[in-house]
Amino acid sequence: MNTAEKIIELIQREVVPAVGCTEPAAVSLCVAKATELLDAQPDSITVRLSANMLKNAMGVGIPGTGMIGLPIAIALGALIGKSEYGLEVLRDVTPEAVEAGRRFIEEKEINVRLFEDAPSVLHIDVEVTHDTDRVRATISRTHTNFTYLERNRNVIFNENPENEVETCAETPQSTGDAPAPCPGDNEEDIRLTLHTVWDFAMETPIDDLRFILRARDLNMEASRVGMSEKWGHSLGSTMAGRGKIFFGDTPAAKIISWTSAACDARMGGAPIPVMSNSGSGNQGICATMPIVAYADSIQASEEQLIRALILSHLTSIYIKQSLGPLSALCGCVVASTGAASGLVYLMDGEYEEVANAVKNMVANLTGMLCDGAKPSCAMKISSGVSTALMSAMLATEGHVATASEGIIDEDVDRTIRNLTSIGREAMRATDLYVLDIMTCK
């Protein structure tokens, strides 16, 4: 494959539909696969999660259930989940299934534990049993990447047969050193630079990029749901209503309201798919909706919209390549930086202005911590996308944070690596402290 084909393959793998928060969805997926191999309804389910997985799955609404957190996600994964659906594993949920899930939680044994020494920051280890039968399934590094399958101690699949695989032993919920990102994560992917991202978005034939419009369609529908019903903290509908008193009917207000409404619906548990980015639905929303809203405000052409969406999503993917799938850094920092790039293009900016907008974003939002997926994520996203608009505006006016300011480097790619090293390495202790607070309340 040539470079363009490799990048298209990368985008199509990282920008995919997901129903509900991707962390509990991935847990449901792993449970569903284990249950399929068990070929019976489990009597007990033990789930061990890396710290970042546990943090992100604790407080978010599960689509179509009116319930929050892992127990119902695990129960439904066992009862109605289909592994062939990937991150849409729970798309067949019904009120009857939810009631069955409630009974399952009451009558069966569900154990959720912290996997302290998990080999990746994104790691799920599931064991299900029925009578004397036992099945083990493991997902690691990415939300749908099965690395180990075993039934009654017979190994069905082992991605790394030379490595010994731990058993599901009791693991106390206490803190230790945070697991480092797996050094082999996505090692076969094409290595990007911001200039490579720009050149691809600008030069690739438009018909090869039209697939990205599905991100607009799915996430716009999520925004409409968030506007029309009460989900989460209703930030989107509040901005579109009473918010007009304070923010007016402006492109900035539209960007914030359309984006946060989609997040309201998703975090509140609306049973709808969104287009994710790099394993996160909120990142997919954040990389999509500011572009869609601003393009609508300026009546951009379809080609402009497509190229701006590609630029936004691929910039986000590029940053995640060095940050890793999960970290202490809020994903809206990454995706809003992608959105800033797309907004610069829609403002008739060139590569230099895109690079400057990225620097402005890093100068502003670095350090915003992730304290799990939950309804208030819409507030963080609104901060991110409003900063994206500000950063893009400044960049197109020739204003940029310079190398004499904080962690900004003259080279934009080094600036990005400064950001991701802080999120990946320097904030590890913060990550553990946040998890301690969340689990001890």
Side-chain angles (χ1 to χ4, degrees):
M1 289 189 292
N2 61 33
T3 297
E5 290 171 336
K6 289 179 180 178
I7 293 176
I8 289 172
E9 181 185 70
L10 175 63
I11 297 172
Q12 290 178 331
R13 189 175 73 245
E14 297 292 351
V15 180
V16 297
V19 175
C21 178
T22 47
E23 277 69 56
V27 174
S28 293
L29 174 62
C30 201
V31 171
K33 184 68 171 180
T35 302
E36 289 164 2
L37 293 174
L38 187 67
D39 199 25
Q41 187 179 112
D43 299 319
S44 70
I45 303 175
T46 298
V47 176
R48 292 198 304 164
L49 301 174
S50 58
N52 291 81
M53 284 295 300
L54 183 60
K55 178 184 70 174
N56 275 13
M58 288 174 59
V60 68
I62 306 303
T65 69
M67 300 173 69
I68 288 174
L70 283 166
I72 189 62
I74 292 169
L76 289 175
L79 293 173
I80 57 98
K82 290 183 173 62
S83 64
E84 65 193 75
Y85 292 169
L87 291 179
E88 296 181 273
V89 58
L90 297 183
R91 72 185 187 198
D92 291 338
V93 67
T94 63
E96 293 75 20
V98 174
E99 185 55 38
R102 292 179 190 273
R103 292 195 301 271
F104 189 97
I105 294 169
E106 294 172 356
E107 298 170 3
K108 306 291 185 178
E109 182 181 355
I110 296 178
N111 300 299
V112 180
R113 298 168 182 156
L114 174 65
F115 192 158
E116 288 190 29
D117 298 316
S120 172
V121 293
L122 194 166
H123 194 81
I124 306 164
D125 192 305
V126 169
E127 181 179 286
V128 296
T129 65
H130 175 75
D131 292 336
T132 60
D133 291 324
R134 168 188 170 275
V135 168
R136 173 104 178 277
T138 297
I139 285 176
S140 196
R141 299 195 306 280
T142 65
H143 291 77
T144 59
N145 183 47
F146 284 95
T147 57
Y148 188 79
L149 300 171
E150 170 197 301
R151 189 178 194 277
N152 293 334
R153 301 196 177 278
N154 295 314
V155 176
I156 300 169
F157 172 73
N158 187 358
E159 183 181 74
N160 298 300
E162 70 278 9
N163 295 335
E164 182 179 353
V165 182
E166 297 182 50
T167 60
C168 267
E170 180 75 23
T171 304
Q173 292 195 20
S174 60
T175 61
D177 291 336
C182 179
D185 288 0
N186 302 316
E187 62 185 7
E188 296 182 358
D189 285 346
I190 183 171
R191 296 292 101 180
L192 299 170
T193 67
L194 191 63
H195 216 307
T196 303
V197 169
W198 169 263
D199 289 344
F200 174 83
M202 297 301 106
E203 298 173 4
T204 304
I206 197 65
D207 287 342
D208 293 344
L209 304 178
R210 290 189 185 278
F211 66 87
I212 202 65
L213 289 175
R214 193 174 179 215
R216 173 201 61 185
D217 297 341
L218 286 180
N219 294 343
M220 190 68 223
E221 180 59 27
S223 182
R224 292 190 188 99
V225 170
M227 289 285 192
S228 62
E229 303 175 38
K230 291 187 180 298
W231 295 104
H233 296 299
S234 299
L235 176 57
S237 59
T238 301
M239 280 290 300
R242 187 174 179 227
K244 288 184 178 179
I245 298 173
F246 307 101
F247 295 92
D249 188 11
T250 64
K254 183 182 288 188
I255 285 172
I256 295 171
S257 62
W258 285 21
T259 307
S260 56
C263 184
D264 285 331
R266 178 174 179 266
M267 292 289 94
I272 52 172
V274 301
M275 191 64 83
S276 66
N277 181 296
S278 303
S280 168
N282 280 350
Q283 286 173 198
I285 290 168
C286 202
T288 302
M289 293 312 299
I291 306 303
V292 173
Y294 188 72
D296 182 79
S297 294
I298 66 171
Q299 296 185 318
S301 68
E302 184 176 77
E303 178 171 347
Q304 288 175 308
L305 172 61
I306 290 170
R307 294 196 185 280
L309 284 172
I310 288 289
L311 183 57
S312 177
H313 276 276
L314 190 55
T315 299
S316 301
I317 291 168
Y318 165 43
I319 298 172
K320 289 291 285 186
Q321 280 187 330
S322 59
L323 180 63
L326 296 172
S327 74
L329 188 70
C330 179
C332 82
V333 177
V334 174
S336 295
T337 302
S341 300
L343 290 171
V344 167
Y345 167 72
L346 291 175
M347 294 175 183
D348 297 322
E350 297 293 333
Y351 171 73
E352 183 178 354
E353 286 77 33
V354 167
N356 288 345
V358 169
K359 292 178 183 180
N360 289 341
M361 291 295 291
V362 174
N364 192 323
L365 284 185
T366 297
M368 180 183 284
L369 63 82
C370 171
D371 54 344
K374 68 270 184 229
S376 59
C377 284
M379 300 181 193
K380 290 188 176 184
I381 280 181
S382 70
S383 297
V385 299
S386 58
T387 301
L389 182 61
M390 179 181 68
S391 296
M393 177 187 67
L394 285 173
T396 55
E397 290 292 319
H399 301 293
V400 58
T402 67
S404 64
E405 301 176 60
I407 66 170
I408 306 305
D409 193 283
E410 285 293 343
D411 181 86
V412 67
D413 296 296
R414 283 198 292 269
T415 298
I416 289 171
R417 288 194 293 274
N418 291 343
L419 166 72
T420 58
S421 64
I422 288 172
R424 188 183 64 249
E425 303 292 343
M427 294 178 71
R428 286 190 192 180
T430 300
D431 218 13
L432 291 169
Y433 203 87
V434 167
L435 181 62
D436 269 350
I437 292 172
M438 293 174 65
T439 55
C440 295
K441 288 190 293 184

